[in-house]
Amino acid sequence: MSLNAAWADLTGRRQRLILLILCAIFFFAVLLLRLWYLQVINADRYATLSEKNRFRYLPIAAPRGTVLDRNGAVLVDNRPAFGLSALRQEVDDPEALIHGVAPLLEVSQEKLWDAWRSGSRFPRYRPVPLAHDIGRDSMERLQEHSVDLPGSFIDVLPMRSYPGEELAAHLFGYLGEITEAELTPRREAGYRPGDQIGKGGLEKSFEEVLRGEEGERLVEVDVKGRQMRQVSTQEPLPGSHLSLTLLRPLQQAAETSFGDQAGAAVVLDVHSGEILAMVSRPSFNPELFARGISGQAWIDLLKDPRHPLQFKAINGQYPPASTFKIVTALAALEAGVASSATTVDCQGSIILGNRAFRCWKKDGHGATNLKKALRESCDVWFYEVALRLGIDRLSTFALSLGLGESFGLPLEGEKRGLIPTRQWKRERYKTGWYDGETIIAAIGQGFVLATPLQLAVMTATVANGGTVYKPQVVKSIRSPQGEEVYQMSPEVLQTVEISERSLNAVKRSLEAVVNERHGTGWATHFDELKVAGKTGTAQVVKRKDDDEEDEAGRIPYRFRDHALFVAYAPAEDPRIAVAVVVEHGEHGGSAAAPIARDIFASYFGLEIGPLRPDDVVNVGD
Amino acid sequence: MFDRRLLTHFDWFLLLLVLLIALLGITNLYSASSSWEGAATPVYLKQLFWLGLGLGVVLGLVIFDYRHLEYLGVGFYGVTSALLLFVLFFGKTSMGATRWIDLGFFNLQPSELMKIFVIIILARYFSLRGEIGGYGLRDLAAPFVLLGLPALMIMKQPDLGTALLVLFIGGTMILFAGLKRSAAIVLSVGGLLAAGGGWFLLHDYQKERIRTFLNPERDPLGSGYHIIQSKIAVGSGGLFGKGFMGGTQSQLSFLPERHTDFAFSVFAEEWGFAGSLILLGLYMLLILWGLYVARCAGDHFGMYLAVGVVAMLFWHIVVNLAMVIGLLPVVGVPLPLFSYGGTCMITTMTGIGLLLNVSMRRFMF
């Protein structure tokens, strides 16, 4: 005591300490009195109130942002749909409820039980969706019987709709119910079990932008949990709108043109890199997923040998085949190892070491210069030139055109393609590079791989004279209040130095491919529009020369060659570039070029009739 | 440096009392959040983690002699004031208020730190001035500035609850230091005038809360909803409550924010008046014990420190409980050791650590 006597003896402070204690006791006494008043004196009154306490907060789903094309045409939308939900805290007898609901909805009890059970992850006060998108008839039947179905109620939920059905489905992706793994990191952002979330494509990449914010309404319910009265509403905040660079009619024309064929097509604005169309076939209807796809339908999609779920435009890697000759020709001209006058005598093959490398034309093209080599796709000319050029200069040039690298699109699954280099070969196969591989690479076979998007960028770069634009698909983002929060601007990835001379020589030759009678791309020639392009035929499996001719057309689908075509137009002042790949379509000129023809016709508003059989060049590559 | 006497003088009673209340709080959180099935980590487990971390803070604090704080405190106060200023301009905005600095892994809320540092700096000021037989207005200029500046900045965020708490804590310490009669009269009149004038400085939502508080039935389903629902929960608990996990109000989620600010409603509903009485008794014991620590403190600084910490705990408890049972407007003040929240737990345990520190060094110079 002696040590703190210094202050304890001061009566003033002792008094003040006692004052503090009295203050504390006073406040606690007030609190206790109040608790006594609430919990003892008025206990009955509050117990009754608690019994009658029948207000519920119910969530109102926010409409997701719509997706529009570059001119404002609706690509992805929402429509109101009726659903049946149940509040678990209100349902005393789930068996009776499901037993009662099943005949009214005309669905199996099993399915309802599944929905009910998956709702066990939800908080008890959160409605469990039992059935999505029920018809008006079912809804009316449910309403009549609502008295017998305590705890359930009809909900109006915005349903994602894709008016174009299969149109550009891979680009949009689809929605599905959020999984536990997706939910955990997003709880803070307000996600709840049962929410829909983007599972692929733009729906996934722009989830935060499109989603919006849930609202809630306070409703008064009766003893059985039926909603009697809406008390107050906090409106949901809709998601932002996405405007794409896509041109809906063009996309539609390209999709239609594919018919039953599998493959991909990309159309680019050559002066900005804007993606005007991006097609993958076959496609699927994303709405199936929004409604909750059935197991069988899902398995069918997964097992389809033509891979309807694959986004082939960015995810499919194909040998560019003869379309790559554009790259080889420009590289050779720029390196000075060839000129437009360089003439090679094509006898159908060249011999390197002890191996013969064949031209697709067995009898050879005879004396061939650059123009003829591109127009008729002579392989031997490129073999000769490639040997002079070497793989290093070829791969460097190809990489500078945007091949062999991904563009970082806001989409999952974009592939890089492959431009082989000596270093790559060493790392991958632990061996050196062979001249034979240079020859094969020069005609876009062997190791070389590219996605349809990369081929389109390469073509656009040649068309605009050497500027590699980053391909972009989102043009602008607009908030629900109408404010523009993002506006795309063209982005130059790199510029390639190409001399006017080389460029002109190659471009004139590409015009010849389409506009001269022996050109392999004759199918895309128009009277009103000059197109320049290059066909390609990519080998899927190596076939023996012998069985090629007599079994042509009758080989199994999966062994047939891929057909490719790249083109731009108008030739003199290019505006758009196109790349088309038709899987197992056999010849670029006959399978891929006609699709490019429809694309150009749609974009430039040209009237075209059906393709005449003799307009189609059914040979070579 | 480390004295074995420290261990023998360690205030086990205080620590056990704190742990008892905290465990009651966690049990209550278990019930309050039991209807959230499927949540990633249950709230009560997270709170257990925060309690563990808080005990770590306590351990860290009792090792060092609190007297070092007398000098360090000035620096901390300065840095935290700078942080508050920083928050005003660059803070992270959430739900209309800017209170946090985003540190990536953690959102730092400087206004919480400020509660502790205001206590330290005022304790230093008053212990330096010593007993002068009542403080006049002129003597109080410095404490007013030290208190007023952070309070203003916190009010600006806007976080009225925390700003008022800082003022309450400081005010209690000033009262304890002793006022001249003249100063006491001027301050009470000034305080009343400020309360009246302050009304016009309030944000609309804050005015709305006060109006609603004065007459909750005015808007039973809007801003009065919280108060009414909470009162129903507490009242329907009756004398002995509805039993653990048996609260219909809280279990059926009529009760908003039931794991944070309204955690006590869940407790009162499930344990009734009897439970409330016991919990309030424990809190009262904590307060009185804290004042006892102040009385026995080895020096003036320790004494003021203890009084400050007690004031902080006391005002939190009183304001939160008064809010939950409808005696005060909803101001968003958590109940120490009971409401869920890492920041509150750490601040509380820092205070407890200081109390223990003062207590165990009461016989040392």
Side-chain angles (χ1 to χ4, degrees):
Chain A
M1 257 346 256
S2 64
L3 288 174
N4 42 52
W7 70 270
D9 287 345
L10 292 167
T11 49
R13 184 164 293 136
R14 175 179 281 167
Q15 281 169 0
R16 289 196 296 274
L17 196 66
I18 290 168
L19 180 77
L20 285 192
I21 293 173
L22 289 177
C23 261
I25 292 174
F26 169 75
F27 276 105
F28 272 81
V30 170
L31 291 175
L32 274 180
L33 276 177
R34 173 71 175 181
L35 282 167
W36 176 264
Y37 172 81
L38 290 175
Q39 297 191 291
V40 181
I41 298 179
N42 281 307
D44 290 343
R45 187 167 85 87
Y46 284 115
T48 320
L49 278 176
S50 148
E51 279 302 302
K52 282 198 289 192
N53 202 334
R54 293 290 172 185
F55 293 103
R56 297 280 180 276
Y57 274 117
L58 295 176
I60 314 175
R64 259 175 110 78
T66 53
V67 181
L68 310 170
D69 90 337
R70 59 187 300 123
N71 296 327
V74 176
L75 296 170
V76 183
D77 203 357
N78 305 293
R79 63 179 166 79
F82 297 107
L84 181 71
S85 299
L87 271 175
R88 289 202 300 138
Q89 63 185 23
E90 298 288 343
V91 179
D92 298 326
D93 187 356
E95 202 150 324
L97 175 68
I98 285 170
H99 199 263
V101 163
L104 299 173
L105 282 178
E106 292 165 345
V107 295
S108 70
Q109 294 197 19
E110 201 46 49
K111 218 175 154 189
L112 292 170
W113 275 117
D114 282 346
W116 174 262
R117 273 184 227 112
S118 76
S120 66
R121 298 189 296 135
F122 296 23
R124 289 182 60 84
Y125 57 89
R126 245 186 110 88
V128 178
L130 290 180
H132 278 297
D133 200 17
I134 57 178
R136 190 163 280 276
D137 295 346
S138 311
M139 187 200 70
E140 279 165 7
R141 280 197 297 272
L142 282 171
Q143 260 172 347
E144 279 169 36
H145 292 82
S146 65
V147 189
D148 314 323
L149 306 169
S152 73
F153 61 95
I154 290 161
D155 230 354
V156 184
L157 296 164
M159 175 92 178
R160 203 60 161 163
S161 72
Y162 302 83
E165 297 186 352
E166 296 198 341
L167 185 91
H170 303 87
L171 179 60
F172 305 144
Y174 54 91
L175 299 181
E177 195 180 312
I178 192 164
T179 63
E180 203 62 42
E182 289 166 327
L183 181 60
T184 311
R186 290 184 179 81
R187 255 176 208 285
E188 300 251 312
Y191 284 83
R192 300 279 188 292
D195 279 0
Q196 297 269 302
I197 189 172
K199 297 276 189 179
L202 295 172
E203 294 275 27
K204 179 170 187 178
S205 316
F206 288 87
E207 170 68 23
E208 284 78 19
V209 174
L210 291 168
R211 181 168 187 257
E213 264 174 52
E214 195 177 80
E216 60 182 10
R217 63 204 162 100
L218 186 60
V219 292
E220 194 181 343
V221 292
D222 67 6
V223 217
K224 288 195 160 181
R226 283 171 304 172
Q227 297 171 32
M228 307 303 287
R229 187 165 70 94
Q230 182 139 322
V231 183
S232 71
T233 312
Q234 194 199 334
E235 291 298 332
L237 186 68
S240 296
H241 304 289
L242 225 53
S243 289
L244 303 186
T245 56
L246 234 53
L247 192 57
R248 193 186 193 282
L250 186 70
Q251 177 82 22
Q252 185 68 66
E255 301 242 357
T256 311
S257 182
F258 265 88
D260 292 337
Q261 303 174 98
V266 175
V267 185
L268 292 176
D269 181 322
V270 302
H271 295 299
S272 65
E274 287 171 64
I275 298 171
L276 299 172
M278 183 139 69
V279 176
S280 277
R281 301 294 303 182
S283 189
F284 59 90
N285 186 351
E287 208 165 313
L288 289 179
F289 293 88
R291 265 190 239 131
I293 190 167
S294 75
Q296 190 54 46
W298 172 244
I299 289 167
D300 287 348
L301 280 174
L302 278 180
K303 285 198 170 159
D304 190 322
R306 299 189 308 159
H307 308 295
L309 293 176
Q310 188 194 9
F311 195 175
K312 298 185 174 97
I314 59 168
N315 185 262
Q317 303 186 99
Y318 306 91
S322 297
T323 61
F324 194 72
K325 287 174 181 168
I326 302 174
V327 179
T328 309
L330 278 171
L333 265 54
E334 281 299 283
V337 299
S339 73
S340 57
T342 304
T343 304
V344 171
D345 185 20
C346 170
Q347 292 301 326
S349 68
I350 66 165
I351 307 290
L352 191 69
N354 56 3
R355 205 186 137 186
F357 290 86
R358 296 184 185 285
C359 186
W360 65 266
K361 197 169 180 183
K362 252 184 167 178
D363 310 332
H365 290 89
T368 306
N369 60 9
L370 169 70
K371 188 171 181 179
K372 187 176 173 188
L374 279 171
R375 184 184 66 206
E376 291 166 38
S377 207
C378 169
D379 293 333
V380 167
W381 191 92
F382 286 94
Y383 294 157
E384 288 286 350
V385 167
L387 285 174
R388 298 181 210 166
L389 181 62
I391 186 63
D392 299 325
R393 286 188 282 190
L394 178 59
S395 56
T396 305
F397 190 77
L399 286 167
S400 75
L401 287 176
L403 295 167
E405 281 298 334
S406 68
F407 299 110
L409 255 62
L411 292 167
E412 271 186 347
E414 189 189 351
K415 286 280 166 71
R416 298 176 60 174
L418 178 63
I419 297 298
T421 61
R422 279 180 207 278
Q423 197 196 345
W424 169 85
K425 175 103 189 286
R426 216 170 18 248
E427 282 164 15
R428 178 83 170 69
Y429 290 100
K430 316 275 180 244
T431 59
W433 187 267
Y434 302 115
D435 280 346
E437 289 164 342
T438 308
I439 284 181
I440 296 295
I443 61 162
Q445 297 275 175
F447 300 122
V448 186
L449 291 173
T451 65
L453 176 67
Q454 287 176 323
L455 292 177
V457 171
M458 180 272 282
T459 311
T461 304
V462 173
N464 68 31
T467 309
V468 185
Y469 286 101
K470 178 178 174 162
Q472 299 193 73
V473 74
V474 176
K475 199 163 173 62
S476 63
I477 299 175
R478 205 159 35 80
S479 74
Q481 292 80 25
E483 189 189 343
E484 202 151 84
V485 290
Y486 168 81
Q487 171 71 51
M488 173 220 128
S489 53
E491 199 177 313
V492 177
L493 290 177
Q494 59 221 21
T495 36
V496 194
E497 289 294 332
I498 311 175
S499 72
E500 206 58 33
R501 244 178 84 122
S502 316
L503 202 60
N504 273 331
V506 170
K507 281 183 152 185
R508 293 298 87 78
S509 311
L510 295 177
E511 289 161 24
V513 170
V514 175
N515 297 291
E516 290 180 16
R517 201 59 186 89
H518 290 290
T520 51
W522 177 251
T524 49
H525 81 279
F526 297 93
D527 295 338
E528 312 90 324
L529 177 74
K530 198 170 191 185
V531 175
K534 182 72 195 82
T535 56
T537 301
Q539 275 188 10
V540 173
V541 286
K542 231 184 176 58
R543 273 174 276 139
K544 275 187 247 143
D545 286 337
D546 311 332
D547 54 26
E548 188 169 0
E549 274 178 17
D550 36 273
E551 288 204 40
R554 273 180 286 137
I555 23 172
Y557 173 80
R558 66 180 192 281
F559 294 140
R560 290 178 210 157
D561 293 340
H562 295 321
L564 291 89
F565 187 63
V566 299
Y568 59 84
E572 311 78 28
D573 180 20
R575 283 166 57 196
I576 64 168
V578 177
V580 179
V581 176
V582 178
E583 288 186 348
H584 312 295
E586 300 204 291
H587 295 293
S590 59
I595 291 172
R597 175 178 184 255
D598 289 340
I599 289 172
F600 285 123
S602 164
Y603 187 82
F604 292 102
L606 305 174
E607 292 288 332
I608 48 166
L611 206 55
R612 292 204 310 277
D614 59 328
D615 276 346
V616 177
V617 180
N618 222 336
V619 292
D621 57 11
Chain B
M1 154 99 197
F2 194 81
D3 196 321
R4 201 182 306 159
R5 275 182 302 168
L6 289 177
L7 218 57
T8 50
H9 290 149
F10 188 80
D11 198 340
W12 291 107
F13 178 77
L14 178 57
L15 187 66
L16 288 178
L17 182 59
V18 166
L19 281 180
L20 178 61
I21 300 177
L23 290 177
L24 270 181
I26 288 169
T27 318
N28 184 57
L29 282 179
Y30 178 79
S31 171
S33 60
S34 64
S35 61
W36 303 356
E37 288 153 57
T41 314
V43 163
Y44 73 94
L45 275 185
K46 287 203 229 171
Q47 183 78 339
L48 206 55
F49 163 78
W50 286 117
L51 178 62
L53 209 65
L55 286 173
V57 169
V58 165
L59 192 69
L61 277 172
V62 295
I63 287 174
F64 301 98
D65 193 327
Y66 66 90
R67 273 160 275 221
H68 294 299
L69 286 174
E70 204 171 342
Y71 310 101
L72 290 174
V74 182
F76 286 139
Y77 177 87
V79 170
T80 313
S81 300
L83 283 178
L84 276 176
L85 208 59
F86 179 83
V87 164
L88 274 187
F89 292 106
F90 308 107
K92 188 179 162 180
T93 304
S94 161
M95 303 199 291
T98 311
R99 298 172 191 171
W100 296 272
I101 298 174
D102 191 355
L103 294 180
F105 60 99
F106 182 67
N107 284 334
L108 181 69
Q109 201 176 338
S111 53
E112 281 295 323
L113 293 177
M114 206 58 196
K115 287 179 192 161
I116 298 287
F117 295 134
V118 156
I119 293 170
I120 295 177
I121 198 129
L122 286 183
R124 175 174 158 81
Y125 179 81
F126 287 124
S127 62
L128 278 181
R129 291 296 303 270
E131 187 66 30
I132 59 170
Y135 283 78
L137 278 181
R138 195 166 303 171
D139 310 306
L140 289 174
F144 279 168
V145 171
L146 291 174
L147 199 55
L149 279 182
L152 265 180
M153 284 191 281
I154 295 169
M155 187 122 66
K156 246 346 231 174
Q157 288 179 353
D159 186 352
L160 187 63
T162 308
L164 281 178
L165 274 173
V166 167
L167 287 179
F168 280 11
I169 294 166
T172 309
M173 290 177 77
I174 290 172
L175 267 181
F176 179 68
L179 292 175
K180 279 192 177 136
R181 188 177 298 267
S182 57
I185 292 170
V186 172
L187 283 183
S188 352
V189 174
L192 284 175
L193 285 178
W199 173 261
F200 298 100
L201 292 176
L202 292 180
H203 284 257
D204 283 342
Y205 82 94
Q206 291 167 334
K207 286 186 192 168
E208 190 58 28
R209 278 183 184 175
I210 293 174
R211 285 201 201 99
T212 306
F213 160 69
L214 294 174
N215 182 11
E217 276 70 21
R218 202 172 75 95
D219 183 10
L221 299 165
S223 42
Y225 182 79
H226 288 199
I227 296 177
I228 295 177
Q229 293 299 327
S230 175
K231 271 160 68 178
I232 294 178
V234 173
S236 64
L239 202 51
F240 295 108
K242 300 175 184 175
F244 184 56
M245 313 264 299
T248 54
Q249 281 292 106
S250 28
Q251 295 299 334
L252 294 186
S253 74
F254 294 124
L255 204 55
E257 312 266 341
R258 60 190 184 282
H259 64 302
T260 57
D261 292 355
F262 286 87
F264 178 74
S265 323
V266 179
F267 186 83
E269 185 186 12
E270 298 185 350
W271 298 100
F273 181 73
S276 308
L277 190 67
I278 291 172
L279 185 62
L280 257 67
L282 289 175
Y283 275 125
M284 189 68 210
L285 199 54
L286 179 63
I287 297 301
L288 292 179
W289 192 263
L291 288 176
Y292 172 71
V293 168
R295 189 194 168 281
C296 297
D299 61 358
H300 281 163
F301 178 64
M303 174 183 73
Y304 279 107
L305 209 55
V307 168
V309 170
V310 168
M312 177 177 86
L313 295 173
F314 178 75
W315 289 117
H316 269 96
I317 295 165
V318 167
V319 172
N320 175 277
L321 291 183
M323 169 181 96
V324 165
I325 58 182
L327 288 176
L328 274 182
V330 178
V331 280
V333 170
L335 184 58
L337 305 171
F338 230 71
S339 294
Y340 170 72
T343 312
C344 174
M345 179 62 92
I346 297 302
T347 313
T348 305
M349 292 307 264
T350 307
I352 299 296
L354 291 178
L355 267 187
L356 285 168
N357 200 330
V358 172
S359 175
M360 67 201 270
R361 290 189 170 82
R362 59 192 183 273
F363 299 117
M364 307 180 75
F365 276 116

